[in-house]
């Protein structure tokens, strides 16, 4: 059994031959010695000893960066606002598990996690040390040198401009430099001045270096300064939480508020509580913080949309933000793949800027990564000029990484990115940046609390009031209210924080921009809106420690709180009410659920990317079977001759080939799988259905990625344009056709994969990303005996088996006459009710789903795999989408595996759509457009 750090394993799988081995008498035979493929690359001890020797440090000149004291003095002088002190140190705490996170333990909880993360980074960074590598001159006049580091293409190691690197030059011994004669006695503390990730090299600034041998030992360092903004943000928000507990006696404890569903239904809509602090409401929202709703909304929105293609759910989300009728709590947008969450965030930002309102909004729009932030900016510049939008980049970002069309929206000073003049900065209506780069506003003392404090100082000074308690010696947000400056006189500058792809950032990541917009509790009644959009079911933050609490994003944690998870309109709530059955859900909504809290969230459900057959399994496993296919261009590959069974555009190819380790043991590849993937791509291109650039091949192992790329470029294929890459690189992208190479075929390496975060087995979020990239066709290549150990992969393979979408490995031995064959099984439509996917992570827990009697399989032939008898008789996950496809086949007179055209989505000519409309009208006898459950 292989424990998943994010999900417990539900059962123990049985592979062919296991029963015979278990029943055999006597001790097991001795196993032959096998090399440990995870062992580090061998480095001669005399090279490693050089790094342990004492040395004289020679520090280089660091790259230019923002001078924050000068910047602050340019608008606030030096008397009332000065530069912040260095980042506070981290301290260990006694917090031990994720269940102990409360407002009172917030500081200790995340300080402890960051300390563990820092420790893990120090342990992991040593694996990137380089020995006896050449250094090349780049610009000797400036002491710039080039260092080849191929791993930076995949952020291994993660580096940025301004980071420090240690180098020691090796002395030659005059004879082939083996062994070396030590080193020069100097340790050069170099700084990174440039990065070219595509070419795989760094530009280092190394003062006073004279190349002798030109060979160096290179040591990468943990840049603790990168965690400094997180530490400061945690401390700031913890102080605000502590202020709440000291000053708000009426603040309820966590989960101590009575459910609003039990309140008197005759009550009018009202706010349930206004006494808690902003920080507590944003980080620990309660049901009592919401707004009670007693009547159904009209479901019509009177706005002039910038994007005329917004669907109902997207419009509803934007309207809720404009009306701000849901209370002072975070507004969450759950956006599964292809549902348009970024489009919704962009529309919200534009509406806040241009919609007529008494409040003039200044928005911080951010994302965890520069790529996601660039996407937001590129969509906004279609409507906004450089006077309105500012793309804020830190000085550690290189110019080559910024899209050309965004450079006019950036501020460049002395050949590095920085902040513009303060007046110009305050005039921008929207600032687009990363969560981490929001620390620039913190360091520049441009947070809401700092600006409000400075405004109070200036106002009090002009009125002749005493400034005691307002001088800079006091901490941020700790000054006392002045009798001459009322709360309404201080206006907040930053009125909205919108975070896209919020599930990809850690909670400390999100705290940085949140600390910028957090208002001073003592001086203002205004509360900035806080909106997060993302998909907590896809890949989350990347950490070195792989601690589940730290890899749980704030979006995911908030969605698990009762305010969101127990709401009747949540995904799980809808699944419990009607399992996606619209008439039953609407009836219950109108008769029994009101009043309820006005939902502070929107669930996007309309997928505009994929064929329904591709969506079927992910919708059931991750989204409570709520996704609705709306894509139109999905049948481009329907006539491909490679489809099997019902000819749906999903196929699982069994692969019995072995996985093999790269020479240094850092990655794996599978040659048979490589050829299968390349031949599949070639078949699609030669059929004329797709162009090479419309096909994506992904694998969780970089060595398999490299070999597939090289193989496609050989004269036998000439498919250089096929997109090949690791699975993580495809999050947020889409392709017409996707081929997933699982690569792994040996069980004994699964433990190592889990520890290192490799592979795609027991990685549910990585599985979800891979399965939801395709638009017109999906092919998965893998060993079913290995994949079936993961319940998510078992669900997918069972789906393929039920519908005959399995292709046997032709290189495996022929199946004996009378043996079990997938082709001999009729994929009849099971008469099973839709399984509620609210049990997706735990459906297998505590149960046992053994495979068919392994003694009858005669070995681990991948072509003999089939689901367990229980799964065959009663499928665990038979989604609405799969049932609708089966029903449409039946209505079209397509029996068995007869080829037929498939239509995706549900339009007015779709038989499923017309049948559903007729049933609803008969049931309710009213027009659906008159009632909206929002």
């Amino acid at each position: 059994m292989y424990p998943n750090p994010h999900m417990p394993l539900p059962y123990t799988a049985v592979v062919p031959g296991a029963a015979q081995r278990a029943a055999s008498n006597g001790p097991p035979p001795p196993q032959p010695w096998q090399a440990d493929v995870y062992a580090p690359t061998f480095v001669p001890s005399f090279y490693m000893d050089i790094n342990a020797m004492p040395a004289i440090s020679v520090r280089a000149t660091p790259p230019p960066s923002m001078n924050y004291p000068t910047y602050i003095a340019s608008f606030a002088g030096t008397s009332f606002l000065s530069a912040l002190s260095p980042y506070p140190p981290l301290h260990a705490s006694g917090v031990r598990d994720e269940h102990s996170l409360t407002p009172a333990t917030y500081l200790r909880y995340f300080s402890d996690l960051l300390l563990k993360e820092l420790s893990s980074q120090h342990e992991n960074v040593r694996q990137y040390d380089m020995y006896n590598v050449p250094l090349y001159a780049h610009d000797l006049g400036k002491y710039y040198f080039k260092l080849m580091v191929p791993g930076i293409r995949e952020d291994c190691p993660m580096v940025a401009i301004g980071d420090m690197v240690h180098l020691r030059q090796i002395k030659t011994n005059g004879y082939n430099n083996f062994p070396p004669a030590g080193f020069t006695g100097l340790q050069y503390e170099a700084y990174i001045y440039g990065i070219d990730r595509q070419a795989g090299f760094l530009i280092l600034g190394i003062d006073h270096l004279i190349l002798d041998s030109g060979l160096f030992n290179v040591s990468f360092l943990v840049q603790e300064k990168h965690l400094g903004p997180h530490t400061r943000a945690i401390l700031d928000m913890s102080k605000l939480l502590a202020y709440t507990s000291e000053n708000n006696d009426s603040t309820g404890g966590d989960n101590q508020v009575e459910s609003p569903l039990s309140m008197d239904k005759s009550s009018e809509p009202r706010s349930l509580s206004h006494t808690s602090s902003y920080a507590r409401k944003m980080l620990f929202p309660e049901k009592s913080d919401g707004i009670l709703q007693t009547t159904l909304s009209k479901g019509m929105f009177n706005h002039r949309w910038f994007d005329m293609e917004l669907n109902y759910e997207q419009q509803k989300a934007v309207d809720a933000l404009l009306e701000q009728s849901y209370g002072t709590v975070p507004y969450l947008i759950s956006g599964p793949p292809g549902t348009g969450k970024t489009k919704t965030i962009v529309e919200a930002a534009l509406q806040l800027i241009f919609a007529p309102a008494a409040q003039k909004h200044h928005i911080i729009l951010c994302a965890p990564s520069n790529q996601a932030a660039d996407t937001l900016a590129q969509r906004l510049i279609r409507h906004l000029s450089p006077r309105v939008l500012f793309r804020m980049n830190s000085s550690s970002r290189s110019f080559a990484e910024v899209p050309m069309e965004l450079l006019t929206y950036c501020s460049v000073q002395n050949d590095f990115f920085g902040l513009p003049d303060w007046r110009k900065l305050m005039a921008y209506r929207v600032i687009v940046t990363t969560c981490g780069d929001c620390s620039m506003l913190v360091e520049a003392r441009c947070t809401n609390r700092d600006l409000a404090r400075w405004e109070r100082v200036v106002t009090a000074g002009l009125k002749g009031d005493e400034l005691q308690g307002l001088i800079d010696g006091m901490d941020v947000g700790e000054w006392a209210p002045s009798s001459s400056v009322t709360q309404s006189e201080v206006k907040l500058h930053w009125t909205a924080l919108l975070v896209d792809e919020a599930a990809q950032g850690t909670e400390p990541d999100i705290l940085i921009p949140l600390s910028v917009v957090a208002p001073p509790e003592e001086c203002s009644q205004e509360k900035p809106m806080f909106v997060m959009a993302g998909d907590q079911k896809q890949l989350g933050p990347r950490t070195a420690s792989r601690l589940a609490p730290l890899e749980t994003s704030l979006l995911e944690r908030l969605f698990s709180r009762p305010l969101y998870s127990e709401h009747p309109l949540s995904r799980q709530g809808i699944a419990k009410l009607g399992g996606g059955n619209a008439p039953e859900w609407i009836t219950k909504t109108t008769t029994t659920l009101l009043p309820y809290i006005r939902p502070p969230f929107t669930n996007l459900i309309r997928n505009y990317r994929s064929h329904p057959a591709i969506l079927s399994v992910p919708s059931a496993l991750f989204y409570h079977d709520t996704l609705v296919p709306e894509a139109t261009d999905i049948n481009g590959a329907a006539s491909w001759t490679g489809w099997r069974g019902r000819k749906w555009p999903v196929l699982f190819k069994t692969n019995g080939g072995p996985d093999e380790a790269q020479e240094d043991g850092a990655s794996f590849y599978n040659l048979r799988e490589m050829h299968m993937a390349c031949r599949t791509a070639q078949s699609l291109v030669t059929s004329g259905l797709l162009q090479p650039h419309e096909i994506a091949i992904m694998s969780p192992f970089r060595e398999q990625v490299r070999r597939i790329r090289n193989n496609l470029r050989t004269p036998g294929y000439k498919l250089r344009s096929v997109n090949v890459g690791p699975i993580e690189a495809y999050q947020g992208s889409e392709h017409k056709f996707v081929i997933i190479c699982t690569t792994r075929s040996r069980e004994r390496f699964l433990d190592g994969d889990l520890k290192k975060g490799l592979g795609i087995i027991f990685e549910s979020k990585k599985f979800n990303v891979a399965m939801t990239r395709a638009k017109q066709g999906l092919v998965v290549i893998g060993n079913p005996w290995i994949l079936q150990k993961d319940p998510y992969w078992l669900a997918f393979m069972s789906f393929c088996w039920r519908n005959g979408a399995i292709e046997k490995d032709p290189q495996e031995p022929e199946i004996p006459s009378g043996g079990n064959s997938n082709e001999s099984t009729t994929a009849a439509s099971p008469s099973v009710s839709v399984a509620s996917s609210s049990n997706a992570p735990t459906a297998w827990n505590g149960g046992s789903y053994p495979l068919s009697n392994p003694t009858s399989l005669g070995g681990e032939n991948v072509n003999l795999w089939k689901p367990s008898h229980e799964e065959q008789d009663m499928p665990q996950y038979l989604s609405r989408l799969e049932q609708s496809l089966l029903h449409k086949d039946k209505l079209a007179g397509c029996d068995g595996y007869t080829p037929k055209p498939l239509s995706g989505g549900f339009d007015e000519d779709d038989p499923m759509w017309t049948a559903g409309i007729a049933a609803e009208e008969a049931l309710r006898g009213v027009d659906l457009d008159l009632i909206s459950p929002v």
Side-chain angles (χ1 to χ4, degrees):
M1 183 174 292
Y2 305 91
N4 185 353
H6 303 293
M7 182 193 69
L9 252 192
Y11 71 101
T12 302
V14 182
V15 297
Q20 298 93 318
R21 291 192 294 268
S24 63
N25 297 324
Q31 298 295 323
W33 179 87
Q34 291 179 312
D36 181 6
V37 297
Y38 286 109
T41 304
F42 172 73
V43 178
S45 59
F46 40 76
Y47 285 124
M48 292 190 292
D49 291 343
I50 289 176
N51 288 357
M53 297 178 181
I56 299 174
S57 296
V58 179
R59 175 164 293 192
T61 303
S65 60
M66 277 289 301
N67 188 329
Y68 290 107
T70 302
Y71 187 84
I72 296 169
S74 68
F75 70 89
T78 58
S79 299
F80 305 116
L81 285 179
S82 60
L84 293 173
S85 58
Y87 293 124
L90 291 169
H91 298 286
S93 73
V95 179
R96 297 301 179 190
D97 59 80
E98 62 270 23
H99 301 293
S100 58
L101 178 60
T102 65
T105 64
Y106 201 82
L107 175 61
R108 294 183 291 115
Y109 180 89
F110 278 107
S111 294
D112 190 56
L113 288 177
L114 288 187
L115 274 174
K116 294 177 181 177
E117 173 67 13
L118 190 62
S119 176
S120 297
Q121 290 182 10
H122 280 290
E123 293 177 5
N124 295 344
V125 75
R126 295 279 66 82
Q127 66 181 303
Y128 303 118
D129 286 351
M130 304 169 67
Y131 300 90
N132 196 34
V133 295
L135 196 67
Y136 305 97
H138 182 73
D139 187 340
L140 291 179
K142 297 180 178 180
Y143 289 104
Y144 288 172
F145 299 86
K146 180 187 295 186
L147 175 67
M148 302 303 298
V149 188
I152 63 171
R153 300 188 185 103
E154 300 174 3
D155 287 331
C156 296
M158 298 184 68
V159 292
I161 293 177
D163 288 356
M164 180 182 288
V165 180
H166 287 173
L167 298 96
R168 298 188 177 197
Q169 186 166 199
I170 296 173
K171 294 175 62 176
T172 60
N173 61 6
Y175 181 73
N176 201 26
N177 193 31
F178 191 84
F183 75 114
T184 59
L186 301 177
Q187 175 171 278
Y188 296 95
E189 298 179 350
Y191 285 97
I192 299 176
Y193 273 73
I195 302 174
D196 191 326
R197 300 187 189 277
Q198 185 174 3
F201 67 80
L202 305 176
I203 300 298
L204 302 179
I206 314 176
D207 291 354
H208 312 297
L209 172 63
I210 299 177
L211 290 177
D212 183 9
S213 67
L215 300 174
F216 291 79
N217 281 2
V218 182
S219 298
F220 293 96
L221 308 177
V222 173
Q223 312 295 324
E224 298 189 14
K225 63 180 181 180
H226 294 324
L227 289 180
H230 302 81
T231 306
R232 194 188 301 280
I234 293 171
L235 182 61
D236 283 351
M237 298 307 295
S238 299
K239 286 183 178 180
L240 292 178
L241 289 171
Y243 176 86
T244 303
S245 61
E246 293 173 3
N247 294 277
N248 292 333
D249 296 333
S250 59
T251 300
D254 228 14
N255 301 325
Q256 294 180 358
V257 182
E258 183 181 11
S259 171
L261 295 180
S262 62
M263 296 182 179
D264 182 7
K265 297 186 178 183
S266 64
S267 303
E268 292 298 321
R270 61 190 183 276
S271 175
L272 302 179
S273 173
H274 291 293
T275 59
S276 300
S277 79
Y278 181 84
R280 202 276 302 159
K281 290 182 178 181
M282 295 302 107
L283 298 177
F284 297 91
E286 301 283 354
K287 288 182 178 180
S288 60
D289 299 321
I291 302 292
L292 199 62
Q293 178 177 346
T294 58
T295 60
L296 292 174
S297 303
K298 60 183 179 180
M300 299 179 64
F301 314 111
N302 186 24
H303 304 294
R304 297 181 62 182
W305 304 109
F306 289 87
D307 188 341
M308 301 304 296
E309 297 181 354
L310 293 177
N311 60 39
Y312 173 77
E313 291 79 22
Q314 293 166 336
Q315 291 180 0
K316 183 188 73 172
V318 177
D319 178 75
L321 297 177
L322 294 176
E323 299 295 331
Q324 298 188 46
S325 58
Y326 53 88
T328 307
V329 294
Y331 195 89
L332 309 182
I333 301 175
S334 171
T339 55
K341 52 184 175 292
T342 299
K343 175 187 288 191
T344 307
I345 283 288
V346 169
E347 181 71 26
L350 292 172
Q351 290 290 339
L352 290 173
I353 293 173
F354 289 106
Q359 186 180 25
K360 184 178 180 181
H361 285 285
H362 292 268
I363 303 167
I364 294 179
L365 177 57
C366 57
S369 67
N370 272 309
Q371 293 77 8
D374 288 340
T375 298
L376 292 169
Q378 287 170 323
R379 296 194 183 188
L380 284 172
I381 63 176
R382 305 170 188 170
H383 309 278
L384 304 179
S385 70
R387 296 180 58 186
V388 179
L389 183 147
F390 172 43
R391 175 64 176 99
M392 185 170 69
N393 296 289
S394 73
S395 58
S396 63
R397 195 178 190 198
S398 65
F399 289 95
E401 295 175 330
V402 180
M404 186 64 65
E405 63 270 21
L406 295 182
L407 286 176
T408 55
Y409 291 81
C410 304
S411 176
V412 180
Q413 301 172 354
N414 300 324
D415 295 329
F416 66 91
F417 291 115
L419 295 176
D421 176 76
W422 182 81
R423 291 180 181 272
K424 188 176 181 180
L425 177 67
M426 294 293 102
Y428 288 119
R429 300 295 301 279
V430 57
I431 293 180
V432 182
T433 185
T434 65
C435 297
D437 287 348
C438 280
S439 62
M440 298 174 66
L441 298 175
V442 177
E443 296 296 326
R445 306 299 296 267
C446 291
T447 67
N448 268 338
R449 286 168 294 155
D450 283 330
L451 293 174
R453 177 186 183 179
W454 180 57
E455 180 181 345
R456 289 191 68 236
V457 170
V458 174
T459 304
L462 292 175
K463 292 187 177 183
D465 294 344
E466 293 186 6
L467 301 182
Q468 185 177 4
L470 301 178
I471 60 175
D472 193 58
M474 297 190 69
D475 211 347
V476 176
E478 293 185 352
W479 29 270
S482 170
S483 59
S484 63
V485 183
T486 62
Q487 293 184 352
S488 60
E489 289 183 73
V490 177
K491 298 294 184 180
L492 297 180
H493 183 76
W494 309 112
T495 59
L497 169 61
L498 312 181
V499 184
D500 194 21
E501 301 293 353
Q504 297 183 29
T506 65
E507 185 159 339
D509 286 335
I510 308 300
L511 291 184
I512 298 174
L514 188 58
S515 69
V516 174
V517 303
E521 297 290 337
E522 306 91 336
C523 75
S524 177
Q525 294 286 352
E526 299 178 28
K527 304 299 180 184
M529 67 175 64
F530 176 33
V531 184
M532 289 190 291
D535 182 8
Q536 69 273 24
K537 299 299 184 180
Q538 294 191 73
L539 285 172
R542 177 183 177 183
T543 65
S545 59
R546 291 183 57 80
L547 294 171
L550 191 57
E551 291 188 338
T552 300
S553 64
L554 178 60
L555 178 75
E556 184 173 0
R557 184 173 70 80
L558 292 184
F559 261 126
S560 66
R561 291 189 65 81
L563 174 63
Y564 303 94
S565 63
E566 297 178 4
H567 198 284
L569 301 185
S570 64
R571 291 189 193 273
Q572 50 267 48
I574 294 174
K576 291 179 181 178
L577 288 175
N581 186 290
E584 182 180 355
W585 176 66
I586 292 176
T587 302
K588 289 188 176 183
T589 301
T590 57
T591 57
T592 64
L593 294 183
L594 287 172
Y596 51 68
I597 297 175
R598 193 175 298 275
F601 60 88
T602 290
N603 292 320
L604 303 181
I605 61 174
R606 305 177 194 275
N607 180 282
Y608 296 95
R609 175 183 298 166
S610 304
H611 190 283
I614 299 173
L615 283 180
S616 177
V617 174
S619 177
L621 289 176
F622 299 102
Y623 305 108
H624 298 275
D625 212 9
T626 59
L627 297 188
V628 178
E630 296 281 357
T632 55
D633 182 23
I634 57 174
N635 289 317
S639 59
W640 182 49
T641 58
W643 302 125
R644 298 290 184 267
R646 296 186 180 277
K647 307 298 182 182
W648 297 349
V650 176
L651 180 65
F652 177 65
K653 291 190 173 188
T654 63
N655 171 36
D659 53 13
E660 302 177 57
Q662 190 184 6
E663 289 184 3
D664 59 3
S667 190
F668 290 84
Y669 61 95
N670 190 310
L671 293 177
R672 188 185 300 185
E673 179 185 73
M674 175 192 72
H675 291 296
M676 293 172 70
C678 293
R679 284 195 296 266
T680 301
Q682 186 180 46
S683 173
L684 290 164
V685 173
T686 55
S687 68
L689 298 174
L690 296 169
Q691 296 298 316
H693 68 273
E694 297 173 326
I695 303 172
I697 303 177
M698 57 183 71
S699 171
F701 297 99
R702 69 172 185 268
E703 180 62 17
Q704 183 74 338
V705 169
R706 187 185 70 83
R707 289 176 179 265
I708 293 174
R709 283 175 181 166
N710 293 340
N711 198 44
L712 288 173
R713 295 170 181 174
T714 60
Y717 291 103
K718 296 182 179 179
L719 297 176
R720 178 179 293 269
S721 300
V722 172
N723 196 309
V724 185
I727 293 174
E728 295 86 348
Y730 288 94
Q731 179 149 312
S733 66
E734 61 182 35
H735 297 270
K736 286 189 175 181
F737 203 101
V738 169
I739 303 170
I740 302 174
C741 298
T742 60
T743 308
R744 176 63 69 222
S745 66
R746 286 185 285 182
E747 180 181 351
R748 71 186 186 93
F749 294 130
L750 294 181
D751 282 330
D753 289 349
L754 278 175
K755 293 176 182 178
K756 293 180 174 289
L758 301 175
I760 196 174
I761 303 175
F762 306 125
E763 295 281 352
S764 59
K765 294 183 177 181
K766 193 181 296 186
F767 167 89
N768 189 24
V769 169
M771 299 294 289
T772 54
R773 301 305 99 193
K775 300 173 64 176
Q776 299 179 355
L778 173 66
V779 171
V780 177
I781 306 173
N783 185 311
W785 300 115
I786 299 298
L787 294 178
Q788 62 149 12
K789 300 178 185 299
D790 184 337
Y792 290 93
W793 277 112
L794 177 62
F796 170 76
M797 295 189 299
S798 297
F799 167 84
C800 294
W801 180 86
R802 283 195 301 271
N803 299 289
I806 292 183
E807 180 181 296
K808 296 182 293 184
D809 186 347
Q811 298 189 45
E812 287 294 287
E814 290 291 333
I815 298 176
S817 176
N820 295 319
S821 171
N822 285 323
E823 288 186 348
S824 64
T825 305
T826 302
S829 304
S831 56
V832 183
S833 60
V834 179
S836 171
S837 65
S838 60
N839 297 323
T842 59
W844 289 272
N845 288 347
S848 176
Y849 295 92
L851 297 176
S852 303
N853 185 3
T855 59
S856 65
L857 298 178
E860 297 184 9
N861 188 323
V862 294
N863 294 337
L864 295 178
W865 181 88
K866 62 192 310 184
S868 66
H869 291 306
E870 292 88 346
E871 178 68 17
Q872 295 178 38
D873 297 337
M874 184 68 68
Q876 184 75 11
Y877 294 103
L878 187 64
S879 70
R880 292 187 305 110
L881 296 181
E882 184 179 355
Q883 283 193 325
S884 69
L885 289 170
L886 293 171
H887 184 63
K888 289 164 68 175
D889 283 358
K890 183 177 180 180
L891 292 177
C894 302
D895 195 12
Y897 295 153
T898 306
K900 68 282 181 183
L902 297 175
S903 60
F906 299 91
D907 54 33
E908 59 186 12
D909 297 324
D910 192 294
M912 288 292 292
W913 172 262
T914 54
I917 288 295
E920 290 182 4
E921 291 178 347
L923 175 66
R924 299 172 52 241
V926 296
D927 187 352
L928 290 176
D929 293 333
L930 297 180
I931 297 179
S932 173
V934 292

